[in-house]
Amino acid sequence: DTAVSQTPKYLVTQMGNDKSIKCEQNLGHDTMYWYKQDSKKFLKIMFSYNNKELIINETVPNRFSPKSPDKAHLNLHINSLELGDSAVYFCASSSRGEKLFFGSGTQLSVL
Amino acid sequence: AQSVTQPDIHITVSEGASLELRCNYSYGATPYLFWYVQSPGQGLQLLLKYFSGDTLVQGIKGFEAEFKRSQSSFNLRKPSVHWSDAAEYFCAVGLRDGGFKTIFGAGTRLFVKA
């Protein structure tokens, strides 16, 4: 009964490819997020959706495009992958935006 | 700009010893403050949070934290560390900026020696 699940757990791909990461939460939360954790463990918010509406969009390259088909799902599509995109990407959800529930992460390696 | 500083990149304590992880924040108003823990290969889990009221807050797994406005600090403590506490600990500030945004510190890696 995973509360926030994201797939795949590992993603290895070549530079220039396009890839997607999927996230689903079964907590009934209205807000979902994408965070990026770099190799030094630094966590930075990328996007936030509230009830399918984009409400936070940090300075992320437009190669990254989030999509929320409904409030239980938030996917992340990345075009033209670059070496610097290698990181762990975490999906999270919350109700009223306060306590975050995290997925277990997707480790993206761009070769 | 809002920021969170965790001055210790890593800390090593003996099992059974007490622990204090430091956190300082920079924010104009009274912030929402959090501590999260991340075990290897896992996402983050909330240990405790402070929004208002009693400045000493209790969390899960025997952790507590104290909010000190005068020092802009929110240090995490545990009286007796267990080997299973070895993990990465993140202090965070929450603020409303459009939506609710959580800004994380760089983390402190805790090592526990037998």
Side-chain angles (χ1 to χ4, degrees):
Chain A
D1 259 20
T2 305
V4 181
S5 60
Q6 52 183 110
T7 55
K9 189 167 178 62
Y10 300 98
L11 189 50
V12 181
T13 188
Q14 300 287 331
M15 271 198 315
N17 284 350
D18 303 338
K19 290 294 178 185
S20 292
I21 306 171
K22 296 186 175 183
C23 179
E24 176 182 4
Q25 55 96 3
N26 62 6
L27 297 167
H29 290 163
D30 56 2
T31 308
M32 296 185 73
Y33 305 80
W34 280 110
Y35 277 84
K36 178 180 180 181
Q37 186 174 46
D38 64 23
S39 58
K40 294 184 178 178
K41 300 290 188 181
F42 185 67
L43 262 170
K44 186 167 167 42
I45 189 169
M46 300 173 69
F47 302 103
S48 173
Y49 270 75
N50 180 267
N51 286 320
K52 303 194 298 177
E53 181 184 348
L54 181 65
I55 55 171
I56 294 175
N57 185 351
E58 294 294 285
T59 49
V60 178
N62 58 15
R63 297 183 295 102
F64 290 79
S65 52
K67 282 189 173 50
S68 182
D70 55 62
K71 69 176 193 175
H73 295 84
L74 178 62
N75 304 324
L76 182 65
H77 188 76
I78 315 170
N79 289 326
S80 303
L81 277 155
E82 300 177 358
L83 292 176
D85 297 332
S86 295
V88 181
Y89 292 83
F90 285 99
C91 177
S93 72
S94 70
S95 175
R96 304 185 335 147
E98 295 160 356
K99 174 180 176 179
L100 293 170
F101 290 79
F102 282 84
S104 57
T106 295
Q107 184 162 340
L108 171 64
S109 299
V110 182
L111 307 177
Chain B
Q2 302 84 7
S3 65
V4 181
T5 302
Q6 293 181 247
D8 303 306
I9 296 173
H10 55 79
I11 279 184
T12 301
V13 299
S14 298
E15 192 169 17
S18 64
L19 169 70
E20 182 168 30
L21 301 182
R22 297 183 291 164
C23 173
N24 293 95
Y25 65 90
S26 171
Y27 185 55
T30 300
Y32 297 92
L33 294 164
F34 307 85
W35 275 99
Y36 285 84
V37 61
Q38 183 180 26
S39 298
Q42 299 296 316
L44 281 71
Q45 179 186 22
L46 182 72
L47 285 175
L48 47 79
K49 62 183 180 183
Y50 171 79
F51 290 171
S52 64
D54 192 345
T55 56
L56 184 63
V57 293
Q58 303 296 320
I60 62 171
K61 306 186 182 189
F63 286 92
E64 65 178 27
E66 186 171 13
F67 169 59
K68 293 186 178 180
R69 184 190 303 277
S70 61
Q71 298 175 20
S72 297
S73 69
F74 189 57
N75 294 348
L76 181 72
R77 300 194 293 249
K78 186 169 184 178
S80 177
V81 167
H82 187 263
W83 64 267
S84 60
D85 293 325
E88 190 90 27
Y89 290 81
F90 293 91
C91 182
V93 165
L95 55 127
R96 299 206 176 272
D97 180 13
F100 190 90
K101 185 190 297 186
T102 306
I103 297 173
F104 288 86
T108 297
R109 181 71 186 270
L110 173 65
F111 297 94
V112 180
K113 59 182 182 182

